[in-house]
Structure formats: structure tokens, C-alpha cells
Amino acid sequence: MPAAGAPRPRAARPPRQATGLRQRLAELRGPATTPRPLDARALAALAANPGCRRRALLDGAGVDKGALAQALGAPANFGQSQFAHQRGNSFEARVKADGGADLVRLLHERLRDGTEPPGPGAVATPDLTAPGPQGRTARTALALREATEAGRWALLDHPMVSLDVAGSPAFLEPDAVVVHPDGSWTVVEIKSFPMVDGSADPAKVGAAARQSAVYALALERVASMIGEPPEDGDDATMAPSAAAPANTAGAAEAAGPVIPTDPAEAADPTAAGPADAADPADAAPPADAAEAATPVEAADPAGATALEGPATPAGPAPARGRVRHQVLLVCPKDFSNLPTAEMVDVRKQLAVTRRQLDRLTRIEEIAAALPEGTTFDLRLTDDGRTPTRPLEELTAAVDAVDAAYAPECLSACELAAHCRTRSRGAGLVEALGRGVRGELGGLTTVDAVLTAAMERPADDAPTGDPAVDALRRAAALRAEALASRPEAVPCR
């Protein structure tokens, strides 16, 4: 027994169950390959297509899909130009000048809630420096708690939060998060596409809204850990079930934020998962018309979403973290370099993203179903540019994972060109679009569709399959139209 007054020795930590998964993911991307970060843009695209096991595994393992597509002979035809990236960085630096005071004043103007604007020196800018992504995540959580308890304006420049995606942690880096004096938090998304007369391209705004929803979803986890909401029956609060973070299964391995007294203790040099880079450029995945958001003129000051969670044991008054469901979208004004902004409601995107991420198959299940020895390692030469892996082996490894191709993938995934070629080669109807695929029901190939349309029984009785009956009716109408004009050349 230790002597009286001596500190008790710390109990040995049990081995993490995710060690085997991390080792398996390292084998999939290549032991000497640095994992590629999974950022909010990739998560938004992944949530838009949750049935694609191929993208879920490759993103979870940190595989460079762009380099993989290049090695497969089907390079992606989209991306960010160097000019757009530099312009975005320059614009973001201007927005955050003077310690973020102008950015916070811009947010206050858009809120229109009647409160006093922040004065000189009223905006705190905590230092978020920490070793490793786990350390930065913990430091961000600590800074959010301190700023919320202080009851003053605070700007967190490029904070880091984590989100569990199919059993694998993803570290995300918003452009900024503003803490309000009332304890609510607002996600700030800075884009370089212009906002003309208070409105912008709906497709780009919708993509920015989905990306911001991913950040808000990750911040909900932080808020649920560091404080409790008011108990005065505020109608803007959410029920505990609604505030639960997505993908809570396997939370022990989610590498979620903790609240240590020393953020440096949270750094885990053995855990894999780099931080995603800042993304100020205006390239974005395609927006769904049903989800595309447009900036609104005024924000609802009561529209903050309070998230319940276990109270922090330290301190008599726990912090009351709340994530607002309206994000601040900052863009250049009328093609100039002057910033303007509008509030964008992301409640719909939050609900869709949460539901789609919950539908993702866990990465360990996908990896366990692969043939023994499957790897996506390109086996690059010493210069790190030339792959030496045989094309046949690499193609077989990629095709071993099921994909859910759709034409929308061409603007959101680096492997889309390869998946389109394989889908067309197999005659799958997915290449015609999700709408067509949904209408055809059990007919999954073009040959099956043509066979169902051309086969007509003698009695011409309905088959009971709506898709088959509709195809046969369409084929009959086409035959009648061609018969009425013998000079017409039939389509082939």
C-alpha cells in the first residue's frame, strides 16, 4: 500500500479496441502512406450518398482517391485551381483581420436582435494551439467552455472538432466559431464566391449549408459534454433525444473532445487521423434542389439550439453550450474583396446529414468483408509520385468494394469517372440517374429493361409489376408511332 498522503498510482488503461481497426486501415492505404484528411466537404458528399461502401471505406482509411483514380487511368476532372485557393485565403485573412472584431460586428448586424454591439477589445481570441488533432480537439472544447462561462464575445479561429463517421473519427476544422455572450455558438463559413444584392448562387449556398451542417453536428457533441441548457422552458431548446449526437455507437473510439485540465495530455500520438485543411475556395459538391438553402434577411435571435448533456463536474455553474441552427455565410460583396454576410438556416441540412451518417455501414464491417490481402497501396517510388502497383491488382482491389454510382458523383468524388466506366460496362441502370433507377424497381440492368419492354405475351395481360407494364406500354406506343411513318428511321 502507498504511504499516507502519497498520490495513488494511475490504473493502467485497457488496450483500445480500435487498435486492430487502425492497423487494418493502415494496411488498406499502405503502411508508408500518410492518411488523407476527411474534411467537412467530403463528409457532406458522403452523407449525400450513404449507400456507397467504396467511398465510406476509402475515406475512412484516408486513401487519396485522386491519386488512386489517376493510377486507374480515370482521373477526376474537377478540383480547386491554385488561383481560387489563393484568392480564398486572401479573402479569409481580410475577414478575420483585427482579431476578428469586424467579423463579430458583421454577425451582430445580421442578428438584428437589439443587443449592444461589441465594443473595442470586447472579442476574445483564445489560443487553440495544441499537439496533434486530439490535442487541438481537446483545446477547442476547453476554449469553448471557458468562453461560454465568461459570458462575452469570443472568436475561435480554425477550431478543431471531431465526429464519428461509421466507427472512425474524423477531425474537422471550421473557418471560425463565434461564442455569443448568452452562451450560444455560431458557425462561420467563409466562401470566395460573390454575393450580389444579398443573394448568391443557390447551388453554392446549398453546398456551403451542408458543409456547415457537418460542423454544427460535430459542435453538438462538444456542447453536450460541457454543460446543461437552461431549465426555464425555452421554446428554442431541443429535447434530449433530439440533441443526441449522431453515430454514438462505438463512442469509446470516436476520439471525441474531452475537457482536461491540460490540453496537451489529450494528445495521442498513436491515434491516426490528421486534421482537415482550411477550405476557403468556392468549389463545392452539387446541391440538391430540395436542400439548397438561400440566405435569409433576418435571423431569429431565439433560434439557438440548446443541447443537453452531462454537467461538467468542475465549477459551481456549468457552461450552457448551445449551437445555433443559423450559420453566418461570409462572401465577397458584388465581385469586390469587401466582405458581406447573411444568415443561413441549416436545420434541414442538419437533419439530413444526421440521418444519412447514421445509415452508413461501419467501416470495420466493410473491411472485414474484403478478400484477404486487399490493399489500395499504390507503392509509390522514392519520389512519391510514380505508382508501381500493377493496374490489374489495383483495379481488382477497388472493385472488391461495392459502389453506388450516380451521375451526381461526377462533381463530388474523385473516383466517379472510374465508377461510371464500370457501371456502363456492366450495363447498370444506375448510370442513367437515381430517378430512373428508382422507377425501374427490380430491373437493375439495361438488358433486363429492354427484355421486359420487348417481351409481349399473346394475351397482353398485365404482369403485376408496374415497371414492366409501363415499359411494355411505352414500347407499344413507340411501335405504333413508327408504323404510322414508314419513312422514319427507328432508334437503335
Side-chain angles (χ1 to χ4, degrees):
M1 294 182 60
R8 296 183 179 181
R10 293 184 177 181
R13 295 182 178 179
R16 294 187 176 183
Q17 297 179 358
T19 302
L21 175 60
R22 287 199 299 269
Q23 182 178 357
R24 176 59 176 146
L25 296 181
E27 294 172 354
L28 288 175
R29 67 174 175 265
T33 305
T34 303
R36 189 173 183 84
L38 182 62
D39 58 13
R41 177 171 296 170
L43 276 180
L46 181 60
N49 191 12
C52 188
R53 298 163 66 93
R54 181 178 297 172
R55 174 155 194 170
L57 179 64
L58 295 177
D59 283 346
V63 176
D64 186 349
K65 298 194 299 297
L68 181 60
Q70 186 75 30
L72 290 171
N77 56 358
F78 73 96
Q80 301 175 7
S81 67
Q82 183 178 3
F83 172 77
H85 188 71
Q86 293 176 351
R87 182 175 183 270
N89 287 338
S90 175
F91 177 69
E92 181 177 348
R94 176 162 187 164
V95 170
K96 295 179 180 179
D98 298 329
D102 293 338
L103 176 60
V104 174
R105 280 195 293 269
L106 190 62
L107 171 60
H108 180 268
E109 292 175 1
R110 295 301 180 266
L111 289 176
R112 302 181 178 93
D113 55 2
T115 60
E116 291 293 328
V123 180
T125 55
D127 182 16
L128 304 180
T129 305
Q134 286 82 7
R136 289 188 58 194
T137 303
R139 183 66 188 90
T140 296
L142 183 61
L144 284 170
R145 186 185 69 176
E146 293 174 346
T148 304
E149 290 178 343
R152 57 176 298 188
W153 291 98
L155 175 67
L156 279 66
D157 186 7
H158 285 293
M160 182 159 289
V161 290
S162 67
L163 188 64
D164 182 32
V165 182
S168 180
F171 297 94
L172 311 172
E173 190 175 1
D175 291 333
V177 174
V178 175
V179 179
H180 299 247
D182 63 356
S184 59
W185 308 342
T186 295
V187 176
V188 178
E189 186 66 18
I190 303 174
K191 293 295 184 182
S192 58
F193 56 81
M195 188 177 296
V196 182
D197 295 333
S199 62
D201 183 353
K204 295 181 178 180
V205 174
R210 289 193 298 274
Q211 184 175 343
S212 301
V214 175
Y215 296 137
L217 195 61
L219 282 170
E220 287 181 357
R221 298 185 65 242
V222 184
S224 66
M225 293 178 182
I226 69 173
E228 295 181 345
E231 299 180 357
D232 55 0
D234 185 1
D235 57 357
T237 61
M238 292 176 59
S241 59
N247 295 306
T248 54
E253 303 304 332
V258 293
I259 311 299
T261 54
D262 184 3
E265 294 181 1
D268 184 5
T270 63
D276 63 323
D279 188 11
D282 57 355
D288 188 350
E291 294 179 22
T294 54
V296 295
E297 289 298 329
D300 181 7
T305 301
L307 299 171
E308 295 188 353
T312 307
R320 296 177 176 179
R322 296 175 292 162
V323 183
R324 289 177 175 253
H325 59 68
Q326 288 181 324
V327 304
L328 184 71
L329 177 62
V330 184
C331 300
K333 182 179 180 180
D334 299 334
F335 301 101
S336 68
N337 203 33
L338 299 176
T340 186
E342 289 295 343
M343 306 299 295
V344 179
D345 195 319
V346 297
R347 280 177 291 186
K348 180 184 296 184
Q349 288 77 12
L350 266 173
V352 171
T353 303
R354 183 183 289 111
R355 181 175 67 253
Q356 298 292 62
L357 290 181
D358 284 340
R359 290 177 54 194
L360 287 175
T361 305
R362 296 187 66 81
I363 293 177
E364 57 264 31
E365 297 178 11
I366 304 175
L370 294 178
E372 187 69 24
T374 299
T375 178
F376 307 104
D377 189 4
L378 300 180
R379 299 173 189 167
L380 300 176
T381 55
D382 294 339
D383 61 0
R385 298 179 180 179
T386 307
T388 62
R389 181 89 178 273
L391 179 60
E392 296 77 11
E393 291 184 10
L394 195 59
T395 303
V398 173
D399 292 343
V401 192
D402 294 335
Y405 170 75
E408 294 83 357
C409 297
L410 292 172
S411 299
C413 181
E414 293 86 345
L415 280 176
H418 171 78
C419 296
R420 178 181 60 180
T421 301
R422 308 298 284 185
S423 179
R424 287 178 174 178
L428 301 179
V429 297
E430 282 84 353
L432 303 177
R434 292 173 180 167
V436 176
R437 175 66 185 90
E439 292 290 340
L440 292 176
L443 304 174
T444 58
T445 64
V446 176
D447 289 340
V449 172
L450 295 177
T451 300
M454 298 306 175
E455 287 184 351
R456 300 189 63 184
D459 55 359
D460 203 15
T463 63
D465 188 335
V468 174
D469 293 339
L471 287 170
R472 290 181 177 176
R473 178 59 178 165
L477 293 174
R478 176 178 177 273
E480 292 177 5
L482 292 176
S484 65
R485 297 188 61 185
E487 71 278 8
V489 178
C491 298
R492 295 181 181 180

